[in-house]
């Protein structure tokens, strides 16, 4: 192994990580501009053999440690970004936000077709923004608007994710946490908008036909990420953080 080093991580080197240390490990980088662009962090979970879901949802892949990291990541972000399929498939609820606290995280849903339920608390919460496009069906637009949803057009024929992120940044929501699903992650990756990936790897093998954490119609050039840290818990889960290599996009 010329010019390569391999490391053995031994159990004797374990250091217990508390909530304060987790917040430090997952802190967003400090902005270097008074009006920063969005920093896009993605949080996903997978089985050992790469399955991104179990019985059609990702919730069954996690554990207590994953929930702890999940809560810390949400507490650190300004906005949770999700695709409409994830909102429906994972039965998302509204993010409880204090309307008097401008730093409380809010929810942003990407949906070009507006195939969302008007009775979903996640969709119609006052703090939620639905990022859509001007070609979205008029009947669905009217139905959701009448139910109280806030819609913002970010493109003509489809949702332009660069424009969507620019909108969030203009509202001071630059610390973005994307929770999927795989289609949204695939689009973010294809547009080179992913700054970091927080990936939980569970100690199970599922086989079957479950998809990967990201998919798109086209392959993209390989994007190398730099490993920031790897954490573990007593249940066998690994919690990894990977950042964009090569500096700013």
């Amino acid at each position: 192994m010329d010019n390569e080093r391999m490391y053995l991580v031994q159990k004797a080197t374990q250091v217990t990580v508390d909530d304060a240390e987790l917040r430090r490990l997952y802190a967003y980088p400090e902005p270097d501009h008074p009006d920063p662009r969005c920093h896009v962090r993605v949080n996903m979970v997978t089985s050992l053999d790469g399955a991104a879901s179990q019985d059609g949802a990702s919730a069954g892949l996690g554990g207590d440690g994953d929930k702890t990291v999940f809560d810390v990541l949400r507490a650190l972000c300004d906005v949770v970004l999700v695709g409409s399929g994830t909102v429906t498939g994972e039965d998302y609820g509204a993010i409880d936000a204090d309307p008097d606290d401008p730093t409380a995280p809010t929810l942003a849903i990407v949906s070009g077709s507006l195939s969302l339920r008007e009775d979903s608390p996640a969709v119609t919460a006052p703090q939620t923004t639905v990022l859509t496009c001007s070609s979205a069906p008029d009947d669905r637009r009217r139905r959701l608007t009448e139910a109280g949803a806030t819609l913002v057009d970010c493109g003509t024929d489809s949702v332009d994710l660069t424009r969507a992120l620019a909108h969030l940044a203009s509202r001071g929501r630059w610390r973005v946490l994307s929770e999927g699903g795989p289609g949204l992650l695939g689009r973010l990756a294809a547009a080179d908008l992913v700054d970091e990936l927080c990936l939980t790897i569970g100690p199970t093998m599922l086989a079957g036909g479950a998809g990967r954490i990201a998919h798109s119609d086209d392959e993209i050039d390989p994007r190398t990420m730099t490993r920031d840290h790897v954490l573990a818990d007593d249940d066998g889960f690994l919690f990894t953080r990977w950042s964009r290599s090569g500096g700013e996009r």
Side-chain angles (χ1 to χ4, degrees), residues 37-42 160-163 165 183-196 216 218-225 243-249:
R37 65 165 180 81
C38 284
H39 182 96
V40 180
R41 165 182 289 165
V42 179
D160 183 328
L161 293 177
T162 299
R163 287 180 59 179
L165 292 175
L184 178 58
L185 176 51
R187 291 183 59 197
L188 287 168
D192 197 21
L193 296 173
V194 177
D195 292 296
E196 60 178 271
S216 63
D218 302 304
E219 290 189 8
I220 63 174
D221 292 335
R223 303 274 164 75
T224 300
M225 307 287 280
S243 293
R244 162 189 297 275
S245 298
E248 297 276 333
R249 44 178 157 93

Side-chain angles (χ1 to χ4, degrees), residues 2-247:
D2 295 341
N3 301 321
E4 291 187 13
R5 290 184 295 174
M6 185 173 291
Y7 303 90
L8 175 63
V9 180
Q10 300 191 34
K11 199 166 184 178
T13 63
Q14 286 185 166
V15 177
T16 300
V17 176
D18 59 15
D19 186 69
E21 180 65 5
L22 275 179
R23 293 177 70 94
R24 186 192 70 79
L25 287 169
Y26 286 105
Y28 282 83
E30 289 297 320
D32 56 4
H33 190 277
D35 297 309
R37 65 165 180 81
C38 284
H39 182 96
V40 180
R41 165 182 289 165
V42 179
N43 183 34
M44 302 292 280
V45 60
T46 181
S47 67
L48 277 177
D49 53 343
S53 63
Q54 181 177 3
D55 297 326
S58 64
L61 297 175
D64 291 341
D66 182 57
K67 181 62 166 59
T68 297
V69 172
F70 177 92
D71 290 341
V72 168
L73 295 183
R74 278 209 170 181
L76 293 172
C77 75
D78 297 317
V79 58
V80 175
L81 182 71
V82 290
S84 57
T86 296
V87 171
T88 301
E90 303 281 350
D91 195 22
Y92 260 56
I95 294 180
D96 294 329
D98 182 352
D100 297 324
D101 181 3
T103 66
T106 58
L107 182 66
I109 302 170
V110 177
S111 180
S113 66
L114 293 181
S115 298
L116 295 162
R117 292 183 5 239
E118 67 270 22
D119 61 348
S120 167
V123 174
T124 59
Q127 297 85 7
T128 296
T129 301
V130 179
L131 304 168
T132 187
C133 55
S134 57
S135 64
D138 289 337
D139 59 333
R140 294 177 184 173
R141 182 185 297 272
R142 182 172 55 255
R143 173 172 50 82
L144 290 172
T145 301
E146 290 175 352
T150 301
L151 276 54
V152 176
D153 288 339
C154 301
T156 304
D157 297 323
S158 62
V159 180
D160 183 328
L161 293 177
T162 299
R163 287 180 59 179
L165 292 175
H167 170 76
L168 295 176
S170 73
R171 303 293 297 273
R173 302 287 174 178
W174 66 271
R175 299 176 185 85
V176 177
L177 173 64
S178 176
E179 295 177 351
L184 178 58
L185 176 51
R187 291 183 59 197
L188 287 168
D192 197 21
L193 296 173
V194 177
D195 292 296
E196 60 178 271
L197 170 65
C198 297
L199 179 64
T200 295
I201 303 168
T204 55
M205 297 187 68
L206 297 177
R212 306 186 320 185
I213 64 168
H215 67 75
S216 63
D217 293 335
D218 302 304
E219 290 189 8
I220 63 174
D221 292 335
R223 303 274 164 75
T224 300
M225 307 287 280
T226 298
R227 185 186 67 237
D228 292 324
H229 67 239
V230 178
L231 306 175
D233 67 8
D234 290 335
D235 293 327
F237 286 82
L238 296 178
F239 311 98
T240 68
R241 180 184 177 189
W242 306 82
S243 293
R244 162 189 297 275
S245 298

